[in-house]
């Protein structure tokens, strides 16, 4: 099945890429979640619009990405949230929460979709989070979650 990606899919591609995937993966996962749309000649024309939007959001070049990675690596991000007596959070920390906390700590504005949390953050303490700034550059952020 030939699809056009509308969002970044890890291990598959970036928005605007035309990819060939198995029928079930496209029909049951990518299309219903809005990550992709079927490839047609009409949809092919929309690729240019998707790529322009992606370029506006993306960090321009490798040098800038490395500079931003240095800024992020030097940050100490603190996130205050509600937690129980045992240190377990009421809910979990989302990528949007982390993006806001990085901005509040004096860091650059990050797109929440570029932040990757390996295991859900559901407890108080220090956690490592990865930010994909560029296809070749990723930065690691230490997020310290404290109880309110």
């Amino acid at each position: 099945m030939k699809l056009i990606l509308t969002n970044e899919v890890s291990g598959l591609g970036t928005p605007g890429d035309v990819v060939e995937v198995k029928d079930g993966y496209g029909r049951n996962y990518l299309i219903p979640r809005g990550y992709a749309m079927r490839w047609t000649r009409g949809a092919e024309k929309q690729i240019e619009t998707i790529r322009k939007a992606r370029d506006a959001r993306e960090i321009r070049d490798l040098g800038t990405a490395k500079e931003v990675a240095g800024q992020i690596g030097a940050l100490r991000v603190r996130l205050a949230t509600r937690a129980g007596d045992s240190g377990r959070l009421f809910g979990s920390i989302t990528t949007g929460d982390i993006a806001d906390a990085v901005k509040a700590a004096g860091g650059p504005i990050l797109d929440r979709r570029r932040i990757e949390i390996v295991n859900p953050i559901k407890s108080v303490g220090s956690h490592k989070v990865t930010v994909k700034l560029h296809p070749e550059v990723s930065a690691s952020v230490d997020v310290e979650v404290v109880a309110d």
Side-chain angles (χ1 to χ4, degrees):
M1 172 181 271
K2 208 169 186 182
L3 297 174
I4 301 170
L5 296 179
T6 56
N7 287 325
E8 186 169 340
V9 179
S10 187
L12 196 57
T14 57
D17 290 350
V18 178
V19 294
E20 186 79 28
V21 297
K22 299 267 186 177
D23 291 347
Y25 183 51
R27 191 174 46 247
N28 298 326
Y29 181 75
L30 295 173
I31 293 173
R33 286 177 173 78
Y35 294 149
M37 60 186 182
R38 288 187 183 274
W39 180 89
T40 61
R41 276 186 239 113
E44 184 79 35
K45 294 175 185 171
Q46 291 179 334
I47 289 176
E48 193 60 37
T49 308
I50 292 170
R51 286 194 179 138
K52 284 181 185 176
R54 179 182 68 192
D55 290 342
R57 269 197 322 264
E58 216 172 68
I59 295 174
R60 292 285 171 224
D61 59 359
L62 187 61
T64 309
K66 287 183 179 178
E67 183 181 313
V68 171
Q71 291 175 358
I72 291 173
L75 284 179
R76 188 71 183 151
V77 180
R78 267 188 96 127
L79 217 88
T81 187
R82 292 183 49 211
D85 294 333
S86 63
R88 189 162 169 84
L89 301 181
F90 296 124
S92 64
I93 302 296
T94 64
T95 55
D97 296 334
I98 294 169
D100 293 340
V102 168
K103 183 179 171 188
I109 298 171
L110 298 175
D111 186 4
R112 66 176 176 76
R113 292 172 289 214
R114 299 214 173 265
I115 299 172
E116 294 180 350
I117 301 173
V118 179
N119 296 322
I121 300 175
K122 295 186 176 192
S123 62
V124 173
S126 184
H127 302 273
K128 272 227 186 285
V129 176
T130 306
V131 181
K132 287 196 154 237
L133 299 169
H134 191 268
E136 300 172 16
V137 179
S138 61
S140 190
V141 180
D142 287 324
V143 178
E144 186 180 343
V145 180
V146 294
D148 266 349

